[in-house]
Structure formats: C-alpha cells, structure tokens
Amino acid sequence: MTSRERVEAVLNGEKPDRVPVHDLSNIVIAKIAGYQMKDLRFDAEKSVGATLDFNRKSKSDFILGPCVESPAMFMDLGIDISLPDDNYGNVMGSYFTTPEDVDSKELYDPFDPKESPYLRKGILDKVALLNKKNDTGALTAGWSWGVMTTAGFARGVENLLMDLLTEPDLARKVIKKASRLVDGVMTLGLESGSDSVWLPDPTASGTIISGDTYQEFIAEETKRLVKGWKAEYNVPVILHICGDTVPIMDVISQLGVDCFSVDHAVDIAVAREKLGDGLTLMGNVHPIDALWNGTPQDVIKASAECIEKAGKDGRFILSLGCEMPRDAPMENICAMQDAVEKFGRY
C-alpha cells in the first residue's frame, strides 16, 4: 500500500497492510540536517529540502511540518517574542493586554500578505513549497495552533483562564477572534494543497481546563472549523491535545475529527476504551523516555505496547505522545518503522 492508501484505510475503519506511522517531526529535522533553527526559521527552500531528506530516511507516512516556526502566527501582532538560535521562538507578551483591548483591537488578516509577512515566512511559505515539491508519497498537513491555544497566546494564558472563570463573555470574544485566525491560517495551508489538517491545541488540555469548560467555550468553535474544512477540502482532520485528555474525551468524540492524537500522559488503552472504535487513535510512544533517551530497542518495545493496546483491530496510527524532541537520534526515529514491520502487520 502507499502511504495515502494506508491512511485512508485506517480512517475508514479498514485494516491496511500495516499500522501507519506519523513521527511528529519538526524541529528535529533541522538538527538531523546539521542546521540550527535560526538557519531555517524564515527559509522555505532550506526547510523543505531538509524535510524531504528527513522523510526519505524516516519513511513516515506523514510529514507534520517543514520546520514551521510555530510562534510566527503571533509575530505579526507586534508582541514580544524571543528567538533563540537553536530552538523555537517563545511568545513573551500578549496582544489583548487589557479587557478593553478585546473590543478595540482586531487580529491581523491572514489573507493579506501585507498584514502577515511573518506568518508567511515562518509557516505558510514552507507549507506551500512542501506541497509543491513533495515526492515522497507521505501526506502533508495544513498547520495552525488550535482555538484555545491561539486565544491563550493572544490574551495571555493566565489572563484567559481567569476570564473563563470571572469574565466568560470576554473569554468568548477572545475565542471567537482566535477562531477566525485559526480558520484563515489553516485554510491558506489547505489552499496550497495540503493533504490533511494538523491541529495542535495544547492549552485545551484536561490538565488545565475541565470537560465542562471545554464543552462550553471551545468545542463548538472547533467543531464548526472542522466541519468547514472537511466540507470544503475533503481532508482528514487530526487533533492533538497535550496532557491528560481523559476529562475531555467525551467532548472530543463529538467534534467530527477523524483522528485524535493522544499525549503520552494518557494510557492509550484508556483512550481506546473511552473513545471506542469509531475514531482513529494516534500515539503515544514517550518522546523523552523512549525516543530521545532510550535505545532503538526501547522504541520498538514502546511501539509494540501501543499497537497491542490500541491497534490490534485497526483504527490506529503509531506516533509519539507529543512532538519529537529536537535531539532525538535518527536510529531511534527509524525504529518506529522497524516496530510496525514487526508488530503492526495485519
């Protein structure tokens, strides 16, 4: 089977030839290619070249992103962002600093190149060029932070969490504005030919908010976006939320996503039990203990355990519990493919 055929089978509830692999690689690509993040931060050609070389080695069925600079979504807001040489940027400030800002200030228009040059250089130009040059057979992805995470960066996470408790109407306004930005960024990636949606929303974690809060403030916006992307572009949607997501899994099953990426904080057997067999699961090898600090044998063992717990009847993609660490060794990355060849054949 090709990667596309394999993934389509899994998402349709059929058993492919083997379990697909999504290695959640991004910044590690720079390291493997001998670069620092500063070398690829705004360079689409170098980023895409390194990404395609990496995928030919890893043989993953997906390409998560060509070294996208994730804080680029917020650089065009003019807020303080640190840019270390060998790591992602860090959002240090907020855009909606006061409650009054939420009414008086708008986020930029992602469809206007003059308003969003950093968004393009850090994310969209890379995604578009990857879609154009991809010759690996692996699926590509449109990329954007999710609704809650985008709102948290715009308002400041602590401020937003306090708003959810004490100023719910204000929180809803921030979330609505964030949702429009997420929609625009993802739409532009899909317009350039991405094969799937990759939607990470770590701030929506059940470690941070309750299932009721997720249901009340985040679920409907996410559900609306997912429905629109699938209707317009007919692509699978993969949602990743960090931390303990068991408290919000009842809501996740109602969002319309095709696949849920499970963090390593969750026993994937519990996720399978709670979400049932109608939703494809992805995960959840420990990115630090196994992939970064372990051996290839450790990765194979952890992968086999995930397949045994959640992948014996299909509807499963082997992956990490969160993004691949920057310094993960290539032999450990390739061990995930060894694992599915040995333990993931149907």
Side-chain angles (χ1 to χ4, degrees):
M1 278 183 156
T2 66
S3 290
R4 184 177 298 277
E5 291 169 342
R6 192 171 292 124
V7 172
E8 287 176 348
V10 165
L11 295 176
N12 289 330
E14 304 163 2
K15 291 183 179 179
D17 57 341
R18 64 158 174 80
V19 171
V21 175
H22 194 323
D23 60 24
L24 293 194
S25 55
N26 193 40
I27 195 172
V28 67
I29 294 168
K31 192 77 170 184
I32 294 295
Y35 293 116
Q36 291 186 322
M37 191 62 190
K38 67 176 182 178
D39 303 318
L40 305 185
R41 181 165 280 130
F42 301 126
D43 192 322
E45 286 285 348
K46 284 183 181 178
S47 296
V48 169
T51 298
L52 294 175
D53 287 345
F54 179 90
N55 186 263
R56 293 185 188 101
K57 296 173 184 175
S58 74
K59 299 180 182 178
S60 174
D61 293 294
F62 291 86
I63 298 175
L64 170 60
C67 284
V68 297
E69 177 59 87
S70 55
M73 273 186 70
F74 310 101
M75 291 178 185
D76 294 304
L77 296 175
I79 59 180
D80 183 22
I81 296 177
S82 69
L83 296 174
D85 286 349
D86 202 18
N87 215 325
Y88 295 119
N90 296 299
V91 179
M92 309 299 289
S94 60
Y95 183 65
F96 299 127
T97 305
T98 68
E100 290 75 20
D101 287 342
V102 177
D103 286 321
S104 64
K105 297 169 69 174
E106 294 297 329
L107 302 176
Y108 63 85
D109 179 2
F111 293 97
D112 186 344
K114 294 181 179 179
E115 291 190 26
S116 54
Y118 286 109
L119 171 69
R120 280 164 166 72
K121 291 189 295 182
I123 299 174
L124 293 178
D125 290 349
K126 297 177 181 180
V127 170
L129 187 62
L130 177 64
N131 289 331
K132 181 180 179 180
K133 289 194 168 186
N134 181 27
D135 59 357
T136 66
L139 278 72
T140 62
W143 189 98
S144 172
W145 288 118
V147 173
M148 178 68 178
T149 303
T150 300
F153 277 126
R155 176 73 172 114
V157 174
E158 290 185 4
N159 289 335
L160 181 62
L161 293 174
M162 186 61 69
D163 294 340
L164 291 170
L165 294 173
T166 63
E167 299 284 348
D169 290 341
L170 183 68
R172 289 188 181 92
K173 290 179 182 179
V174 176
I175 289 165
K176 285 282 186 182
K177 291 188 175 186
S179 178
R180 289 195 291 270
L181 179 58
V182 171
D183 194 16
V185 174
M186 189 66 75
T187 295
L188 287 164
L190 294 171
E191 287 285 346
S192 73
S194 296
D195 301 309
S196 63
V197 164
W198 173 253
L199 190 68
D201 204 1
T203 313
S205 173
T207 305
I208 301 174
I209 62 175
S210 69
D212 289 343
T213 299
Y214 189 93
Q215 176 77 73
E216 181 178 355
F217 291 93
I218 309 300
E220 285 307 311
E221 284 298 318
T222 301
K223 186 176 181 179
R224 179 182 63 80
L225 294 177
V226 168
K227 183 178 180 180
W229 296 328
K230 291 177 68 173
E232 182 68 22
Y233 301 100
N234 191 30
V235 291
V237 177
I238 302 172
L239 173 68
H240 175 83
I241 301 178
C242 295
D244 182 6
T245 49
V246 172
I248 60 175
M249 280 186 182
D250 289 343
V251 187
I252 288 169
S253 65
Q254 304 167 22
L255 298 177
V257 300
D258 299 276
C259 179
F260 181 56
S261 169
V262 183
D263 187 273
H264 57 89
V266 177
D267 186 332
I268 202 163
V270 174
R272 172 59 78 200
E273 180 181 358
K274 287 191 68 68
L275 293 172
D277 57 7
L279 181 66
T280 298
L281 288 183
M282 190 167 97
N284 73 341
V285 174
H286 202 296
I288 306 298
D289 293 351
L291 201 86
W292 183 10
N293 292 329
T295 65
Q297 291 71 32
D298 293 327
V299 175
I300 290 171
K301 179 182 178 182
S303 299
E305 290 173 356
C306 290
I307 294 169
E308 179 66 29
K309 288 181 176 182
K312 299 299 287 184
D313 297 318
R315 288 279 191 190
F316 180 69
I317 299 170
L318 179 66
S319 186
L320 301 177
C322 201
E323 185 191 334
M324 186 177 294
R326 181 195 61 189
D327 300 317
M330 196 71 215
E331 58 267 26
N332 285 6
I333 298 166
C334 293
M336 296 175 68
Q337 280 291 339
D338 296 336
V340 294
E341 290 294 337
K342 186 173 183 179
F343 299 103
R345 287 281 174 184
Y346 290 113

